Structures are given as structure tokens and as C-alpha cells.
Amino acid sequence: MTSSDIPVIAIDGPTASGKGTVAQRVAKTLGFHYLDSGALYRLVALSALRRNTPLSDEDALADLAGKLPCTFDGEKILLAEEDVSNALRAEEVGNAASRIAALPTVRQALSELQLRFRKLPGLVADGRDMGTVIFPQADLKVFLTASVAARAQRRYKQLIEKGFSANMHDLLKDLAERDARDVNRAVAPLKPAEDAYLLDTSDMTADQAVEQVLQWYAALKK
Ligand code: DC
């Protein structure tokens, strides 16, 4: 068996579209592994911010990305020995991640790391380019969207729950800026794969979205 025989479900979409929650639940239901690819960009961003590495220094950032001492332990993400799961969710880190993600050599350095998550019995991978670049042969590709207002609401709730302060006005501005950067970058821009199923979750609960993805997958496997 080669790695291309291991099933992959790719779930892409803009920031705060709910793809993380949906991807994790789909993975849990199917007993598959889960890759939060955004966390890798966030890990590089957090390391860079802590070392005062300029976000314009592509060589230094690619070097950081190539040597990330990270471990994914269930829901915990460790950088070296430190649990950084919460620190990674800060808006400052997300914004830096979105800037770093535009750098081709950083994307290249993280690409091999992402492919290593493809293990039996299968993988659910979420991000921006899972279906277009990293796993173009994925068995199922889903592109999740939601209105800016719905996404800002979700991000607000997520931040407050994690103990961060949040302001709706700033969040809406951040989301719009991040969308523009993710969609307009030259390398691996955020866009649905041609063969992706589109799912607008603005008026859906997470459970409904999970159910839809599971139905699509079951239909493909028939
Ligand atoms: O999904 P997220 O908000 O945790 O991702 C943080 C940033 O990382 C996002 O603004 C763009 C970037 N990213 C990317 O370019 N490609 C991915 N596969 C995942 C994330």
C-alpha cells in the first residue's frame, strides 16, 4: 500500500468559517487523523514573534518552518515542550500567520510536514490549500464558507471562551484584511478546488455541517 491509497478528506475555507470544528468532528466520527494546517503557519508566526524575527525575512522564516519543534498531542499543540494551544489562537498570531503564509519558501518548508499526517486509517485536513495543493488527489474536497458577519460572531465567541478580549469592530476589519491577503496571494491562494463541494454554513449548526460532509463521504465510498 502506498500513501496515495490512504483516504483524505480536504476541508478548506476562509478564516473562522467553522472548518476546524467541522474537520475535527468528522475525523473523530470516522476515527481518522486530523491535520490543522493553519496551526503550522501559526506556530511559525508565534516562533517568529517571540524571536523578533522580521515578518519580511523570508529566509529566516523558512528556516524556522523547516525546523519546527512541534508535537500534536490530541487537542494539545506543543512547541518544544511548551503547550502553546491557546497562545496560537491570539489574533496577533493569526494575522502574522496570514502574512507569513504568502511566502513561497515557508509554504514549501511546511509542505512535507503536512504530507506526513497522511496515515492509516485516513486523514481529515483543514486549511486553505488542502484540496488544491497539498492533497490534490483527496477523496473528498469540501470548501466551507460563511458570511463575514457569521464568521466574526464565531471568532468573537471563540476568543472570549479562550479568555482573550475581543472587539467586534476590530474583528470585522481583521477578517476582511485576512480574507483579502489569503485570496489575493500569488502562491496557493484561498480558492475552492474545481471538484470541491461548496458548503455555506452561515445558517447551519456545526452538527448539520458535519452531517453533510459525512453524507458526501459515505456517498463517494458506495
Ligand atoms: O486557519 P487559520 O486561521 O488557523 O490559519 C492561519 C493563517 O495561516 C491563515 O490566515 C492563512 C494561513 N494558512 C494557509 O495559508 N494555508 C493553510 N493551509 C492554512 C493556513
Side-chain angles (χ1 to χ4, degrees):
M1 168 180 268
T2 63
S3 80
S4 58
D5 298 322
I6 300 174
V8 176
I9 299 177
I11 303 187
D12 290 304
T15 192
S17 56
K19 60 191 186 317
T21 308
V22 172
Q24 276 178 65
R25 289 198 203 170
V26 169
K28 200 163 176 196
T29 310
L30 296 171
F32 281 12
H33 298 278
Y34 167 59
L35 165 62
D36 170 5
S37 63
L40 299 177
Y41 291 91
R42 286 172 184 264
L43 280 163
V44 180
L46 182 67
S47 307
L49 292 172
R50 285 182 172 179
R51 290 160 184 240
N52 289 322
T53 305
L55 299 183
S56 52
D57 188 343
E58 183 163 357
D59 289 347
L61 294 167
D63 199 50
L64 270 181
K67 297 183 189 145
L68 264 187
C70 63
T71 316
F72 287 75
D73 177 11
E75 303 216 327
K76 268 199 232 156
I77 303 174
L78 307 179
L79 184 58
E81 303 294 298
E82 183 193 345
D83 181 355
V84 292
S85 323
N86 267 346
L88 289 182
R89 310 283 24 129
E91 277 300 279
E92 186 196 9
V93 176
N95 280 326
S98 153
R99 291 173 58 187
I100 285 172
L103 305 172
T105 53
V106 172
R107 302 199 73 83
Q108 184 55 41
L110 291 179
S111 132
E112 203 187 310
L113 185 57
Q114 295 173 73
L115 295 174
R116 276 195 249 140
F117 280 79
R118 188 172 194 173
K119 287 188 285 201
L120 282 170
L123 175 68
V124 182
D126 94 52
R128 304 291 187 288
D129 62 343
M130 297 298 96
T132 49
V133 176
I134 304 293
F135 300 110
Q137 309 301 335
D139 301 63
L140 171 65
K141 300 176 188 177
V142 178
F143 194 84
L144 278 195
T145 52
S147 65
V148 173
R151 291 191 286 131
Q153 256 320 322
R154 285 178 196 162
R155 179 54 52 84
Y156 183 85
K157 198 164 153 253
Q158 207 179 42
L159 286 169
I160 299 294
E161 276 168 9
K162 296 216 182 277
F164 293 107
S165 63
N167 163 313
M168 209 48 175
H169 177 265
D170 292 349
L171 272 180
L172 282 167
K173 185 165 155 274
D174 270 7
L175 279 186
E177 279 175 15
R178 206 154 347 144
D179 281 355
R181 250 199 315 266
D182 290 349
V183 169
N184 295 319
R185 68 178 176 226
V187 194
L190 172 67
K191 65 162 189 225
E194 273 177 20
D195 48 351
Y197 288 78
L198 303 184
L199 186 59
D200 184 334
T201 65
S202 307
D203 300 315
M204 278 180 138
T205 63
D207 281 345
Q208 288 170 324
V210 169
E211 197 42 48
Q212 177 62 78
V213 175
L214 289 170
Q215 272 179 25
W216 281 330
Y217 188 62
L220 283 175
K221 293 284 118 187
K222 264 198 195 139

